[in-house]
Structure formats: structure tokens, C-alpha cells
Amino acid sequence: MTLTSKIRQNEIPMTGATGLCSGANLRTPIGERRVEFLRPGDLVVTRDNGLQPVKLIWKREISEAEIAADPSLAPVHLNTRAIGPMMPQKPLRVGGAHRLLIPGWRLLDEDDSENCLVPARDVDGVSLGNETDATEATYYNIVFEAPQVFCANGMPVESFVPCEDTLPHIPSDVQEELRSLFPDLGPRFSDYPTPSYKARKRVSYTPSFA
């Protein structure tokens, strides 16, 4: 089931948004597919675990009034090659709290082989183009059986991870659907697998290439 939830200011803390904006292309066995046309059960090509079926997609709609009250809800705009070669292949819009997989060779204080998950809003030293003038936004959050990294417009991004930290940001109807899909994980999803990559908050970049 695809759930559409209108998030109002009094429903969750305003700490930014996760999700991919409309128009993001994901790799599937039958070619690229826009995130807004993806459905539960569809297969997506993941970075580490091949083809994985989508368990749930929840759509979060942010109004002009909500963005005006809290600009952190506006999308972050990643320009072409903002992170590295072909990352992304073309502009990509994501929620500011959505985590990107950043290669270690682009980070000043990490080993070249240590790829890190970093919220888009916390990337420092690279031109992202925060859309503070956005009038509204629609975010699509994809949930798999376990955390996955997959490409959106060629940029490796993380799937939504239901856990104790993220539950307060999920509408009640989505929480109920998640609990029906994962009945063995407990009320706070404490047994949902943890991401396999190191998580960082604010990072600094090595000098950009030509």
C-alpha cells in the first residue's frame, strides 16, 4: 500500500525532511523508474544486495506555509556532479535530513575506503543549492526489509530506516502500516537492522576536481 500523509506543523518536530522529491530516477530490472511511479513489491537495484523488493512507500507533502514557517523543510538541490563523477548524473532534490553515501576519498578526515552516510544538509564545502525559495515539496520515503543504499539519478542514497529515532517523525497511520509489515520488530523497531555504513553529521570536503 502506498500511503499519502499530509504532515502538519503540530504533528511532528520540525527538524527537516527525509525522502526523494518527484522526478528522481531509480534503477530497476526494467530500466530507470521515477520514484513517484514506484509501488510496493517493485524491485530496485541496490548497491550491496542486488534486487530488493520495496516494502512500503510513504509520501510526505509539505505546504508553502510549512516551508515558510520552517525553511529546513525545503528540499536540498544537488547539482550535477556535486559529490563526484556521475554523482548525481543530473540534478537531484532530496530532503535535508536524507542521508547520502559519500565516498571516503571526498572527505578530509576519512580513509579513502570509508564511505559515510551524511545528511544532505550537513555536507559542507560543496555546492548543493538549498532551495530556500521552494514553495512546496513532496517527498517519497522508501522502506525495504532492511536498510539499503540505492542510486537516485546516479547518487547513492539511503532508504528510510524505521527506528526509535525516526518514529517521532512518522505519521501514526504510517507507523501502523510499518508495524503490520514488520510484526516481529517490536513497537519501537529496535530489531530493524542497522545501516552497514558509518554515519556522520557534518563533514568537510577535499578540494574539488576539475
Side-chain angles (χ1 to χ4, degrees):
M1 180 179 181
T2 301
L3 298 177
T4 301
S5 299
K6 184 68 175 178
I7 310 300
R8 295 181 174 85
Q9 289 176 306
N10 61 354
E11 291 179 336
I12 64 171
M14 292 299 183
T15 57
T18 60
L20 307 174
C21 291
S22 304
N25 282 312
L26 281 59
R27 291 180 61 203
T28 76
I30 56 174
E32 290 191 341
R33 189 167 184 182
R34 286 172 58 157
V35 65
E36 62 265 36
F37 301 137
L38 205 65
R39 296 292 180 267
D42 288 345
L43 295 174
V44 172
V45 179
T46 66
R47 179 185 176 92
D48 303 303
N49 298 297
L51 298 176
Q52 292 293 318
V54 173
K55 296 288 289 185
L56 175 73
I57 304 168
W58 64 281
K59 183 171 73 171
R60 180 178 178 183
E61 297 177 345
I62 305 294
S63 70
E64 181 177 2
E66 288 167 326
I67 291 177
D70 184 356
S72 74
L73 295 175
V76 169
H77 180 96
L78 280 75
N79 299 319
T80 302
R81 302 179 77 244
I83 306 300
M86 308 296 285
M87 293 189 293
Q89 296 171 345
K90 58 183 179 180
L92 176 68
R93 297 163 69 238
V94 301
H98 201 92
R99 297 201 294 191
L100 317 173
L101 187 66
I102 308 295
W105 55 267
R106 286 289 278 144
L107 303 177
L108 280 174
D109 55 352
E110 290 289 353
D111 185 88
D112 284 358
S113 62
E114 185 73 77
N115 299 328
C116 297
L117 291 168
V118 184
R121 67 186 175 200
D122 287 346
V123 176
D124 187 26
V126 66
S127 177
L128 295 178
N130 196 338
E131 292 191 4
T132 54
D133 58 346
T135 57
E136 59 184 20
T138 301
Y139 297 108
Y140 295 85
N141 288 275
I142 300 173
V143 182
F144 295 94
E145 191 73 34
Q148 303 293 342
V149 170
F150 58 95
C151 284
N153 290 4
M155 180 68 223
V157 300
E158 185 185 35
S159 62
F160 184 80
V161 178
C163 63
E164 187 171 359
D165 290 339
T166 59
L167 282 179
H169 305 272
I170 306 175
S172 58
D173 57 339
V174 180
Q175 292 188 38
E176 292 173 5
E177 181 68 8
L178 284 167
R179 291 192 174 99
S180 70
L181 289 170
F182 301 100
D184 300 326
L185 295 184
R188 295 186 178 277
F189 296 93
S190 56
D191 293 328
Y192 188 81
T194 57
S196 57
Y197 293 95
K198 181 178 181 179
R200 293 284 305 274
K201 289 200 173 178
R202 179 161 290 280
V203 296
S204 295
Y205 267 60
T206 57
S208 182
F209 38 79

